[in-house]
Amino acid sequence: MASIKRIGVITSGGDCGGLNAVIKGIAREAYALGVESVVIPNGYAGLYNLVDLPEVVLLNADRVSRIEASLAGSEAGHSRVKISKIADPRKYERIKEGLKKFGIDALIISGGDDTGSVVVDLSGRGIPCVHVPKTMDLDLQPYSVGGDSAINRIAVFARDLKTTGLSHNRILVIEVFGRYVGHTAFRGGVGAEVDCILIPEIPVDFDYVYKHMKTTYFARIERSDVRAGTYIIVVAEGIQNANGEMLIDESAGVDAFGHKKLAGAGRYVRQQLERRLKKDPAVLKFMKRVGMYAPGVYLVPEVREVTPGHLVRSGHSSAFDVIFGHRAGAVAVFLLLEGKTGYTVVNVIGDKIYYMPTSEAIKRMEVDLNEVALFESLGTCFGRPPRKYDYELIETAEPKRRHV
Ligand code: F6P
């Protein structure tokens, strides 16, 4: 076993659910094994500035008991700083000086793909690091803490929107985080039984979305004894058109990792639907037929967009993320003490701890379009004419467990 007496804990990238459980898992396992753990605050910005800090917070039993694992966000704080981008030629020496100052022998770092690339970088420079996968986007190869919490929150928001949608007979578009993949939009949308889910993996055919919306929405109101109906769309912030262009507001700028800030997909979808509703002569006839029409005032159904933004990763963590976080944090300590560096925790099943090189773990995982086809066969619109669900039957004695 490598001689590790003190571990530094870092959380980095966007915050989300389950991170406090990761911190507690690390601290409690380390304590049980006679190793100290300390917080390096505010992600990689804190690591860079560690040498100037007067002290670090020791995660002893008392301090850890004051961290609430079920609260989302991170007690250790976050920043979107990538070490390689810091304009200081001495940055790596400075980091090593900081680690030396506080007697920190190794790091456990929880974050997504950008964070993981820094784990690879630091590990290659002789700083022992283990990575705990974290991102609400779920775009890593293994499950990442925060994904389940975000899915549950998206499902609750989308489900709750139905009450106002039904009261006003509105078509509602809810834009959710997820960066360049649609995992959380897909699963949150299915969880809320919404009508349409638009994800970056499927270029949006707005004529098809309009057709699906019109058929579903018209029928709903016409069949209702009180003439009530709504149509709910969950749209992932990173949707694209058939040319691979993102349907976003280009003026939003970039973040500290250098990524475009994604915003505007919900508005884009709303505008596309409004344009078609206004041009379609069948809409006015429908409005008259169901008694919604008011001359000069109410000629077409309203479309509104809602953007919960950071709310999808705030508040409380799901029980699954609390469990996963505790477990992943704890076994990250085992990996470090076994001399592993540059690796990502994948899962724990019974007495088996699965891990993989961080360089592999951070390769982007997209939504499986076969799975989408299954939900298309159940009637959900994914912004294209439904594809056939092709399947294969496999009998197995050892089910492969991977959450969401
Ligand atoms: O990567 C996680 C994430 O929540 C993305 O889904 C989203 O695009 C981004 O972070 C928002 O980042 P920030 O909090 O820096 O605005």
Side-chain angles (χ1 to χ4, degrees):
M1 280 206 186
S3 166
I4 291 177
K5 300 267 179 295
R6 192 177 245 208
I7 297 170
V9 181
I10 296 177
T11 56
S12 162
D15 69 337
C16 59
L19 279 164
N20 284 322
V22 172
I23 296 170
K24 289 184 93 164
I26 298 168
R28 289 202 160 132
E29 196 58 64
Y31 182 78
L33 297 170
V35 175
E36 283 184 346
S37 60
V38 296
V39 168
I40 298 180
N42 303 322
Y44 292 133
L47 180 63
Y48 174 71
N49 289 308
L50 185 62
V51 69
D52 295 332
L53 283 188
E55 57 189 359
V56 284
V57 170
L58 179 67
L59 289 168
N60 57 21
D62 172 55
R63 186 63 185 86
V64 170
S65 70
R66 284 188 275 127
I67 301 174
E68 178 55 65
S70 70
L71 276 184
S74 165
E75 189 80 357
H78 280 252
S79 60
R80 285 199 184 274
V81 168
K82 211 166 175 172
I83 301 293
S84 61
K85 292 200 169 173
I86 298 175
D88 173 0
R90 285 201 71 257
K91 53 196 177 239
Y92 295 103
E93 287 80 20
R94 185 172 152 84
I95 287 171
K96 286 180 183 170
E97 283 160 20
L99 295 174
K100 196 165 168 211
K101 172 173 171 180
F102 292 106
I104 298 169
D105 307 303
L107 301 172
I108 296 179
I109 303 173
S110 193
D113 52 352
D114 288 301
T115 301
S117 70
V118 179
V119 169
V120 177
D121 182 18
L122 296 177
S123 181
R125 291 170 192 275
I127 300 172
C129 312
V130 165
H131 173 228
V132 175
K134 169 268 10 156
T135 169
M136 61 145 288
D137 300 343
L138 284 175
D139 57 352
L140 304 179
Q141 294 296 317
Y143 175 74
S144 52
V145 75
D148 187 69
S149 305
I151 289 168
N152 280 291
R153 287 179 71 84
I154 290 170
V156 167
F157 293 145
R159 184 200 67 199
D160 287 357
L161 271 179
K162 289 183 191 175
T163 60
T164 180
L166 271 173
S167 305
H168 288 262
N169 288 359
R170 281 178 178 150
I171 296 142
L172 295 175
V173 182
I174 168 168
E175 174 189 319
V176 297
F177 278 173
R179 192 66 71 178
Y180 309 115
V181 293
H183 295 287
T184 44
F186 172 31
R187 289 165 171 79
V190 169
E193 291 191 284
V194 301
D195 303 299
C196 176
I197 302 167
L198 304 176
I199 58 174
E201 290 85 344
I202 299 176
V204 187
D205 172 347
F206 283 103
D207 288 332
Y208 185 77
V209 175
Y210 181 71
K211 198 171 128 201
H212 187 272
M213 183 273 284
K214 198 172 123 178
T215 315
T216 312
Y217 173 81
F218 279 19
R220 226 164 244 168
I221 294 177
E222 280 174 323
R223 281 195 208 120
S224 160
D225 58 355
V226 287
R227 295 282 184 257
T230 182
Y231 184 89
I232 308 285
I233 301 176
V234 172
V235 54
E237 62 180 354
I239 51 161
Q240 303 181 8
N241 64 19
N243 301 325
E245 294 152 353
M246 293 180 88
L247 306 176
I248 55 166
D249 177 356
E250 291 289 344
S251 63
V254 292
D255 65 22
F257 276 155
H259 299 302
K260 272 184 187 173
K261 287 186 188 154
L262 307 182
R267 188 177 54 202
Y268 191 92
V269 173
R270 170 176 59 76
Q271 288 167 345
Q272 291 294 320
L273 295 179
E274 277 175 349
R275 196 172 304 155
R276 285 166 177 78
L277 281 165
K278 282 180 190 153
K279 278 200 314 206
D280 184 349
V283 172
L284 197 60
K285 288 185 196 148
F286 160 78
M287 294 289 283
K288 289 182 175 168
R289 209 163 54 238
V290 298
M292 283 165 67
Y293 173 70
V297 183
Y298 199 14
L299 308 179
V300 294
E302 285 177 291
V303 188
R304 294 288 181 89
E305 85 261 17
V306 178
T307 308
H310 292 86
L311 281 172
V312 303
R313 57 182 219 213
S314 306
H316 282 85
S317 308
S318 68
F320 180 87
D321 274 337
V322 173
I323 297 164
F324 184 89
H326 273 124
R327 234 171 16 201
V331 303
V333 177
F334 293 143
L335 286 179
L336 262 188
L337 297 189
E338 295 280 350
K340 305 286 177 208
T341 176
Y343 285 100
T344 298
V345 173
V346 172
N347 205 357
V348 183
I349 302 178
D351 61 354
K352 309 274 183 302
I353 297 172
Y354 296 89
Y355 65 99
M356 68 195 296
T358 303
S359 54
E360 289 301 311
I362 59 177
K363 290 186 177 158
R364 186 182 299 169
M365 169 83 92
E366 296 190 345
V367 170
D368 181 342
L369 297 187
N370 293 308
E371 212 186 321
V372 166
L374 177 60
F375 286 97
E376 283 176 325
S377 75
L378 302 179
T380 310
C381 172
F382 282 86
R384 66 176 187 185
R387 301 280 158 91
K388 185 173 175 303
Y389 175 57
D390 283 324
Y391 60 87
E392 192 186 346
L393 297 180
I394 299 171
E395 186 181 335
T396 177
E398 196 187 340
K400 196 174 155 205
R401 284 193 262 164
R402 187 190 186 273
H403 180 72
V404 293

